[in-house]
Amino acid sequence: KNEVEQSPQNLTAQEGEFITINCSYSVGISALHWLQQHPGGGIVSLFMLSSGKKKHGRLIATINIQEKHSSLHITASHPRDSAVYICAVISQGGSEKLVFGKGTKLTVNP
Amino acid sequence: KAGVTQTPRYLIKTRGQQVTLSCSPISGHRSVSWYQQTPGQGLQFLFEYFSETQRNKGNFPGRFSGRQFSNSRSEMNVSTLELGDSALYLCASSSRQASTGELFFGEGSRLTVL
């Protein structure tokens, strides 16, 4: 079992819909990253959070440390949001290296 | 502010050869971390350098190595290339150690091993 599990693997939505992508992890963590990767490979860091909730524009990220779960929400989705969204965690103690989920491929149709 | 620059963007090598990839971080950033991305394994952490010292290393064989120079530019080297080394290699820079700071990624170097 992977340390970081994302769901769903693939998601297709219509423009304007509310999107939720989930990330569950099995280890204690010090922080969690949400990343966005567009076709072609470039990765953009969306959020880094260790507790609570963060908001940037139409994107909202939440984390529940006790339940070992984080969600990324996109409100009023747009075709330009089509990308792969990747969750990555930094485990507590010992080696501080990023462990990645497999990603969620989001397609937003006009 | 210039972003993270990786060179070369694309390269083709044959089995047994070696390759060196370069990463120039954002000015002022002291942390450079490297990642391998393949369709099968996804993104995997290779190693991180901070102020010229390797801080962390992922679970990759010794054929994968790296270094960081005094100007924070970093190189990674893969020796005795295997077909399975074909991947997108990404680097990221951060003003703090990668585990605690926001990451800024380069566009990647796409390596094909024939």
Side-chain angles (χ1 to χ4, degrees), chain A residues 1-6 22-32 34 49-51 62-71 87-91 99:
Chain A
K1 190 180 192 299
N2 293 332
E3 289 179 299
V4 182
E5 297 279 355
Q6 285 186 240
N22 296 298
C23 175
S24 297
Y25 48 91
S26 56
V27 295
I29 67 167
S30 56
L32 180 147
W34 279 104
L49 63 167
S50 54
S51 64
T62 63
I63 188 168
N64 185 318
I65 296 293
Q66 287 75 26
E67 294 187 4
K68 294 187 167 61
H69 182 268
S70 176
S71 293
C87 167
V89 303
I90 301 145
S91 54
V99 179

Side-chain angles (χ1 to χ4, degrees), chain A residues 11-12 17 24 26 29 37-38 42 47 63 67 70 77-78 82 91 95 106 108 110:
Chain A
L11 181 54
T12 300
E17 285 186 2
S24 297
S26 56
I29 67 167
Q37 185 171 33
H38 280 284
F47 296 103
I63 188 168
E67 294 187 4
S70 176
S77 59
H78 190 275
S82 298
S91 54
S95 176
L106 171 64
V108 182

Side-chain angles (χ1 to χ4, degrees), chain B residues 18-35:
Chain B
Q18 66 95 26
V19 66
T20 299
L21 308 177
S22 178
C23 175
S24 292
I26 290 171
S27 178
H29 284 191
R30 294 159 63 191
S31 166
V32 174
S33 49
W34 288 91
Y35 307 89

Side-chain angles (χ1 to χ4, degrees), chain A residues 30-31 33 35 37 40-46 48 86 90 94-102, chain B residues 35 37 40-45 55-59 88 90 97-103 105 107:
Chain A
S30 56
H33 289 260
L35 309 171
Q37 185 171 33
I43 293 179
V44 174
S45 175
L46 298 174
M48 187 180 79
I86 302 167
I90 301 145
S95 176
E96 294 175 331
K97 54 188 182 185
L98 282 173
V99 179
F100 297 88
K102 296 290 189 190
Chain B
Y35 307 89
Q37 187 176 36
Q41 297 297 319
L43 272 164
Q44 293 182 280
F45 170 79
R55 287 204 71 249
N56 286 302
K57 191 176 192 305
N59 298 325
L88 179 67
L90 292 151
Q97 291 163 12
S99 58
T100 58
E102 183 180 1
L103 298 174
F105 285 84
E107 292 295 312

Side-chain angles (χ1 to χ4, degrees), chain B residues 5-8 20-24 34 73-76 91 109:
Chain B
T5 304
Q6 289 190 246
T7 57
T20 299
L21 308 177
S22 178
C23 175
S24 292
W34 288 91
R73 187 178 71 85
S74 178
E75 289 181 346
M76 67 162 282
C91 78
S109 293

